[in-house]
Amino acid sequence: MSEIVKLRTRADLDEEAAVWIWRMDSAVVAAEDRQAFEAWLRQDPRHRRAAAALSTVWSALDGLAEAKREEKIATFTNTAKLPLLHHPQRWWFAAAATLAAVAAGAIWLQQGSEFQTLATAVGQQRNVTLADGSIVTLNTNTILETDIERHSREIYLRKGEAHFQVAHDRSRPFLVHAGDAVVRAVGTAFEVRVLTDQHVDVMVNEGSVEVQATALPPASPSQGTNARARRAAATTVRALNAGERLSTASRDYAVTPITAQQLSSELAWREGAIIFDGEPLSEAIAEIERYTDARIVVSDPEIARLRVGGRFRTGDMQEFFDALQTALPVSIRHTDGGLVFIDPRR
């Protein structure tokens, strides 16, 4: 399994900014520290924005009282229900962490917005609660961006698959931009998977959603004008209720029913499982490969058509291979180059 994708989130930026703001607030700042701070600000436009926002929160404490720096930290840590640490180095890190945590809430109250990038590595799943209370569950190898504001909630699914448990708020529709589609919900639960820009699958397990078509490519939170143009160009084409699915790969966006058993099987990945029910081995391999860095090769087209059934753990590929050898006339062959061959059993 590969390492977790290292994307710098809003929380990471806030934490870095908190450290710098704390250091720059010292009565005496070394010249090299000030130069390093200026260099950090120039590295990324987001650095300057994060530092400005946290400086506002930090400075706001001055309005409470003309306190000493130590008392200022104590006020922060007490507000966050954290003990004051007197060891200088521990206190330094506690102050920065507390500043970042409290400031995140203050920025939400002041600006009413939350931008972040969420990602998973191959084989990883992740649950994230957004600022509005909605819960996003990311499947393997997924990247999405969130733009939660006072009057709108927008998600940009760049790749992969995600399930959304949407907090009810009629004043702020919940929009998921994925490939050539936009999914609109208010308070519901549904899954979106991007296979290509022209092939997006949507499945609803609670409530209802609207799926819209658009001719524009997905925008991003930093491209407000393009995002508005995208919404203006969108045309509602289908409504989906619980127990229904849609694929944008079909020209007419056909809505098809899905049984409770099928729904449970499709969403088993949220529990770290994959369920097959008579799929050809070739299709099962394509699904399994989403959860591993290994490349799997079926060496004979005859065995590629064999049917596969069972429940398997996404984090245990060997379990899947062992089950294949037990149930089917195949053998598994591993190579030093990381390839896994599925051969007919001789």
Side-chain angles (χ1 to χ4, degrees):
M1 185 180 297
S2 62
E3 296 182 356
I4 295 175
V5 178
K6 300 296 184 182
L7 294 177
R8 297 171 72 235
T9 65
R10 175 67 175 270
D12 295 330
L13 294 174
D14 285 346
E15 186 173 346
E16 291 179 22
V19 171
W20 281 115
I21 296 305
W22 188 87
R23 292 172 68 178
M24 293 300 103
D25 188 63
S26 175
V28 178
V29 180
E32 55 268 28
D33 285 343
R34 191 167 295 282
Q35 291 173 359
F37 176 53
E38 292 296 332
W40 179 81
L41 290 176
R42 291 192 297 269
Q43 283 177 0
D44 189 325
R46 295 176 298 171
H47 290 179
R48 194 173 296 277
R49 289 195 294 269
L54 292 177
S55 292
T56 300
V57 177
W58 183 251
S59 299
L61 289 180
D62 291 330
L64 299 178
E66 287 298 327
K68 293 181 180 179
R69 195 161 184 255
E70 291 79 1
E71 294 170 350
K72 194 173 179 181
I73 294 294
T75 301
F76 236 141
T77 51
N78 288 336
T79 301
K81 306 271 190 254
L82 294 175
L84 179 61
L85 303 176
H86 294 288
H87 188 285
Q89 200 166 27
R90 291 181 183 175
W91 174 58
W92 186 85
F93 283 109
T98 304
L99 174 59
V102 176
I107 291 171
W108 168 256
L109 291 175
Q110 292 173 2
Q111 300 179 359
S113 62
E114 176 194 66
F115 301 93
Q116 58 179 326
T117 299
L118 306 174
T120 51
V122 172
Q124 181 189 21
Q125 284 87 31
R126 180 182 178 188
N127 290 310
V128 179
T129 300
L130 304 182
D132 70 324
S134 297
I135 300 173
V136 179
T137 305
L138 289 75
N139 199 4
T140 176
N141 197 21
T142 295
I143 298 176
L144 62 79
E145 298 167 347
T146 71
D147 181 4
I148 308 298
E149 301 188 26
R150 289 189 184 278
H151 304 294
S152 65
R153 300 178 291 175
E154 304 202 40
I155 308 296
Y156 301 83
L157 182 57
R158 300 304 182 187
K159 64 179 295 189
E161 180 176 23
H163 181 270
F164 303 92
Q165 183 75 45
V166 181
H168 189 81
D169 186 349
R170 288 194 175 277
S171 66
R172 290 190 299 168
F174 192 96
L175 302 179
V176 178
H177 302 260
D180 61 358
V182 180
V183 183
R184 183 181 186 275
V186 176
T188 186
F190 62 99
E191 175 187 285
V192 181
R193 179 178 174 184
V194 176
L195 288 90
T196 69
D197 282 347
Q198 289 75 42
H199 186 176
V200 176
D201 289 343
V202 181
M203 183 172 58
V204 182
N205 60 301
E206 181 183 315
S208 61
V209 302
E210 292 178 348
V211 178
Q212 305 170 340
T214 177
L216 296 177
S220 69
S222 62
Q223 296 173 313
T225 301
N226 288 342
R228 286 192 293 272
R230 177 186 172 88
R231 289 194 296 272
T235 302
T236 300
V237 293
R238 287 292 183 268
L240 276 73
N241 297 313
E244 294 182 332
R245 71 188 310 168
L246 174 151
S247 174
T248 64
S250 60
R251 180 170 298 181
D252 59 352
Y253 276 33
V255 176
T256 57
I258 182 170
T259 67
Q261 181 178 350
Q262 289 173 321
L263 190 62
S264 177
S265 296
E266 292 283 356
L267 295 177
W269 63 265
R270 295 189 298 165
E271 301 170 357
I274 307 176
I275 298 178
F276 298 118
D277 185 19
E279 287 84 356
L281 177 60
S282 58
E283 292 183 13
I285 294 302
E287 184 66 17
I288 283 289
E289 283 188 314
R290 298 175 60 205
Y291 299 88
T292 177
D293 287 323
R295 184 185 172 196
I296 306 172
V297 179
V298 179
S299 62
D300 189 317
E302 288 296 321
I303 63 174
R305 291 190 285 269
L306 296 174
R307 301 289 174 171
V308 178
R311 181 186 178 97
F312 306 96
R313 288 172 291 180
T314 58
D316 190 350
M317 293 298 104
Q318 192 58 47
E319 174 192 42
F320 174 72
F321 296 139
D322 291 344
L324 287 184
Q325 294 185 108
T326 300
L328 301 177
V330 301
S331 61
I332 307 300
R333 176 165 49 96
H334 296 267
T335 69
D336 293 337
L339 288 175
V340 179
F341 287 92
I342 302 179
D343 302 318
R345 185 181 299 156
R346 304 301 181 187

